[in-house]
Amino acid sequence: MIPFTYARAANTADAVVHGSAVGTKYIGGGTNLVDLMREGIEHPQALVDVSGLSRDINETADGGLLIGAGVKNTALAEHRLVRTRFPVLSRAIVAGASGQIRNMATVGGNLLQRTRCTYFYDDTGARCNKREPGQGCDAVDGFNRIHAILGASPACVATHPSDMCVALAALDAVVHLEGAGGKRTLPFNELHRLPEGRPDIETLLEPGELITAVELPAQPMAAHSTYRKVRDRASYAFALVSVAAALEVDGGMIRDVRLALGGVAHKPWRAWKAEEVLRGQPASQQLFQAAAEAELANATPLRDNGFKIELAKRTIIAVLGDLSGVSA
Amino acid sequence: MAIRINGTDVQAPSDPRVSLLDLLREELHLTGTKKGCNQGACGACTVLVDGERVVSCLALAVQYEGREITTVEGLSENGALHPLQEAFVEHDGFQCGYCTPGQICSAIGMAGEAKRGVPSHVTEDLSAETITLTHDELRERMSGNLCRCGAYNGIVAAITETFVEAGE
C-alpha cells in the first residue's frame, strides 16, 4: 500500500472541504477500499474518514425513511421500520457479505463499492478499461461466467456487486449529496452509469461530492416485497443473478409492481420493461413469463455466462409467483 | 485518543496503513488473532469492537481510536477460559486451531446479534422480535468464518451448547 494521509472528518462540511482535494477519497467501513488499496487498484494520497458521520435512520414526514450514509449495513437490516415497511431491503442486505463485514460496511460505501471482476482486480498482467482507461478488456474474451448480460459495452462487461443496491433500485430511493457546489439529490437509479466507452466513471458524482443519506420514499406496496439471490454457494458469495421485487395484487390483478435485478449489469438494473408488462394485468404464470422475456429480450451472452439469461427469467418468475401466490 | 485493547489503552499507529490486525499481531504481539486471507474472506482475524464482530484485516487501526477492542486473549476471566472456549475443547471444534480465535470471537458477536433480533438470510419471519439459533440459523450466521480442517460440526455443537442450550 502506498503512503497516504488520514483525517477524521468532524462533520459533513469539514469532510467536503477536505474531500475536494485532488487524490482524496472518503472512507467508510473500508471493507472494499482497504482491500483495493492493498491490491494496488486504488491509490489515494489522502483518506477522509466519514464513518462517524450520518449514523441515524429517521422517519420522514411522508412515512418514508432517511438513512444516514454512515449507517452500518447490520443496523439498517435490523431496523424495525425497514423490516416491516421495506422487507426487500433487509433481505437484500443480509443476503450479502458476512456478519462481520455487514457490521463494518456503511450505506454510502455500499453504493460506491467496485466490481469484483477478476481482471479489474488483477493489475499484474490483465487489461482493464475500468482500471486503466483505454487499455482494453480481458474479460470480454476471457473467463466471464460472472459478467454482465445487460447494458454492457465492448469496453466493459463488469457487474455491480451490491445486493443492497438492487433493493434500493426497486424502491425508487433518492440519494442525498453534498459537495463544494452545495447540496443536491439524485434518483438512485440515475446514480450509477452504464459503462459505454468510460467504465472508469461509475457514477454521476462530482469530484469530491459526498453521499450523505439515502431516502426511501413512502411506498405501501414495499411492505409486500422480497429479495431472492442465486449464487454458487448457499452463503457469503456474490450474486450470479438476484431479484428484488415489491408487488400490489388486488383481486388477482397486479395493481403495481417494482422489480430490479442484480448480478446482470454494470449498475443495479431496474426492470422497467417487465414492470410495464405486469402493471394492470391479471397475475398468472404466463404473464410473469412474458414480463421476464421482455426484460431479457436484449440480453447478450458472453462465452461463459449465457446461463444467466435463463436463470434471470426463472428467478423473476419464481419471485413474482411467491409474492402473488400464483404458482406454476 | 487511544484504542482500548483488552482493557489497556494503546496509541494508534502513526502510519495509517497499519491494519488493526497488524497492530495486534506485529506491534502488540497479541498473536491469538490470526492472519488468513488478509482480504476479509476467511474470518480468521475476527475481533470484537465494542462487542460487535469485525474482520480486523480490513480495518485501518487509526479508524478505531476511541473504540474498545476485545481479542481472544481478552476473553478469559481470572485465568478461566470463556465458556465457549471450554465448549470448543469439549466438542473438538478444531483440528489445527488456526481459525479458532476468529470462530470464537465471531460466535460471541453472533450470539449478541441474534439476541437483539438481527435477522439473517434464513430468517423466515422478519417481524419476529427474537431469533432462535437453529442449526440453519447458526450455520448461516457463521458463514464468514472458514475452517479448512472441516471442524464445522464440532464448532456448531460448541456454539449450540454455549448460547442455545445454556439459554443465553
Side-chain angles (χ1 to χ4, degrees):
Chain A
M1 217 185 286
I2 62 162
F4 56 87
T5 63
Y6 168 89
R8 197 182 288 205
N11 51 51
T12 302
D14 179 46
V16 169
V17 167
H18 287 94
S20 301
V22 175
T24 300
K25 283 196 91 75
Y26 297 115
I27 184 167
T31 55
N32 188 209
L33 183 57
V34 170
D35 191 32
L36 288 164
M37 288 165 64
R38 200 173 274 149
E39 294 292 326
I41 310 301
E42 296 269 14
H43 19 72
Q45 295 157 22
L47 290 183
V48 175
D49 187 349
V50 293
S51 64
L53 310 178
S54 312
R55 299 287 295 268
D56 297 328
I57 302 173
N58 289 310
E59 201 173 350
T60 56
D62 74 347
L65 291 178
L66 188 65
I67 303 157
V71 170
K72 302 290 186 184
N73 283 195
T74 301
L76 184 55
E78 74 174 298
H79 194 277
R80 174 64 37 192
L81 294 179
V82 177
R83 285 155 69 179
T84 52
R85 293 184 191 170
F86 306 96
V88 61
L89 183 54
S90 279
R91 293 260 181 234
I93 292 170
V94 297
S98 66
Q100 292 95 314
I101 287 178
R102 293 192 295 269
N103 283 342
M104 304 170 77
T106 62
V107 167
N110 191 309
L111 267 55
L112 298 182
Q113 64 179 306
R114 314 291 305 274
T115 184
R116 267 39 173 218
C117 172
T118 43
Y119 299 96
F120 170 69
Y121 253 85
D122 176 14
D123 73 340
T124 60
R127 295 177 305 152
C128 175
N129 287 317
K130 190 181 277 302
R131 190 163 22 79
E132 288 287 337
Q135 194 178 45
C137 170
D138 278 338
V140 175
D141 299 313
F143 294 98
N144 45 35
R145 183 172 175 274
I146 64 170
H147 289 75
I149 52 172
L150 289 166
S153 74
C156 183
V157 293
T159 57
H160 195 271
S162 170
D163 292 295
M164 188 185 88
C165 285
V166 186
L168 295 179
L171 292 171
D172 296 304
V174 175
V175 184
H176 290 240
L177 305 170
E178 190 163 337
K183 297 180 185 182
R184 64 173 179 139
T185 60
L186 199 59
F188 177 80
N189 285 306
E190 293 173 21
L191 174 69
H192 296 96
R193 291 180 69 252
L194 287 176
E196 300 174 323
R198 289 299 301 273
D200 55 312
I201 305 172
E202 295 174 346
T203 69
L204 295 190
L205 291 180
E206 298 290 339
E209 210 166 24
L210 176 68
I211 297 173
T212 57
V214 173
E215 184 175 352
L216 299 181
Q219 176 54 271
M221 175 177 49
H224 190 55
S225 65
T226 196
Y227 185 73
R228 185 153 173 180
K229 179 175 181 178
V230 184
R231 45 187 159 175
D232 282 327
R233 59 186 188 200
S235 186
Y236 200 15
F238 290 98
L240 293 168
V241 163
S242 69
V243 172
L247 200 62
E248 182 185 352
V249 185
D250 187 8
M253 296 285 284
I254 297 177
R255 296 269 303 249
D256 207 353
V257 59
R258 297 289 183 275
L259 197 66
L261 309 179
V264 296
H266 195 258
K267 60 182 285 185
W269 189 266
R270 177 68 176 265
W272 303 104
K273 289 176 190 162
E275 289 181 13
E276 208 175 294
V277 171
L278 294 164
R279 208 166 276 126
Q281 300 296 316
S284 72
Q285 282 290 305
Q286 290 78 6
L287 180 72
F288 302 157
Q289 179 82 42
E293 295 288 348
E295 194 59 49
L296 277 300
N298 292 330
T300 307
L302 300 163
R303 189 188 76 187
D304 302 332
N305 71 355
F307 73 96
K308 280 192 177 185
I309 298 175
E310 183 61 25
L311 186 60
K313 290 179 190 172
R314 292 187 191 186
T315 310
I316 290 171
I317 294 166
V319 167
L320 292 172
D322 285 349
L323 281 178
S324 66
V326 177
S327 51
Chain B
M1 216 187 327
I3 307 173
R4 197 161 179 83
I5 297 176
N6 297 334
T8 304
D9 281 343
V10 172
Q11 282 306 308
S14 54
D15 187 335
R17 291 177 294 180
V18 177
S19 68
L20 182 57
L21 174 60
D22 285 342
L23 173 72
L24 293 171
R25 289 183 56 85
E26 306 299 330
E27 297 187 26
L28 305 175
H29 307 296
L30 291 168
T31 52
T33 306
K34 297 296 187 275
K35 183 181 278 190
C37 67
N38 210 29
Q39 55 182 14
C42 77
C45 66
T46 304
V47 299
L48 298 167
V49 176
D50 299 328
E52 303 279 326
R53 55 180 172 159
V54 304
V55 282
S56 59
C57 70
L58 294 182
L60 296 177
V62 283
Q63 286 198 279
Y64 290 82
E65 283 192 89
R67 312 288 293 276
E68 189 155 347
I69 316 295
T70 306
T71 71
V72 70
E73 290 93 341
L75 295 177
S76 59
E77 282 185 35
N78 302 322
L81 292 180
H82 185 282
L84 183 60
Q85 291 175 302
E86 297 276 13
F88 263 68
V89 174
E90 179 70 22
H91 291 278
D92 290 332
F94 52 86
Q95 284 184 38
C96 81
Y98 198 81
C99 73
T100 312
Q103 297 277 4
I104 287 173
C105 287
S106 182
I108 292 170
M110 182 276 299
E113 291 161 14
K115 202 171 176 180
R116 67 172 201 261
V118 177
S120 86
H121 178 59
V122 299
T123 304
E124 283 187 19
D125 181 8
L126 274 189
S127 63
E129 299 277 350
T130 55
I131 301 292
T132 305
L133 278 180
T134 60
H135 190 261
D136 285 349
E137 279 282 3
L138 205 157
R139 290 177 74 93
E140 161 61 26
R141 289 165 188 269
M142 291 296 294
S143 70
N145 290 83
L146 302 184
C147 169
R148 297 322 296 152
C149 299
Y152 293 113
N153 289 339
I155 293 168
V156 169
I159 298 172
T160 300
E161 179 184 275
T162 308
F163 294 116
V164 184
E165 291 165 8
E168 278 199 31

